[in-house]
Amino acid sequence: MPKMKSRRNAAKRLHVTGTGKFKRRRAFRSHILTSKSMKRKRHLRKPALVANTEAYKMKRHLLA
């Protein structure tokens, strides 16, 4: 039987933490940055965790 393949799109964007949660980047950081405040842009730099309600989908994309 062939190996299961992960979705490359998800594999490049998500990382699994030590506790099994999924780390992601934040949205709204790519363009039109002049209209956003420095505080908002600073907080967008930091990674975030995928919500628990969506984590099962990410698990299917990556680990299944």
Side-chain angles (χ1 to χ4, degrees):
M1 189 164 179
K3 287 192 225 177
M4 295 293 289
K5 293 187 177 180
S6 64
R7 295 188 187 226
R8 301 313 297 161
N9 174 324
K12 291 171 186 176
R13 287 166 172 76
L14 298 169
H15 298 282
V16 184
T17 64
T19 56
K21 295 181 180 181
F22 295 100
K23 195 161 68 167
R24 64 171 175 84
R25 284 193 54 176
R26 291 184 190 269
F28 307 111
R29 181 74 171 120
S30 57
H31 61 96
I32 316 178
L33 297 173
T34 53
S35 61
K36 298 177 176 96
S37 68
M38 286 305 295
K39 180 179 179 180
R40 186 174 168 192
K41 290 188 279 190
R42 186 167 59 247
H43 287 295
L44 289 173
R45 273 187 230 142
K46 299 178 182 178
L49 293 175
V50 173
N52 290 332
T53 53
E54 300 290 322
Y56 78 100
K57 292 180 190 174
M58 304 306 132
K59 197 170 197 173
R60 279 181 41 213
H61 285 316
L62 285 177
L63 309 175

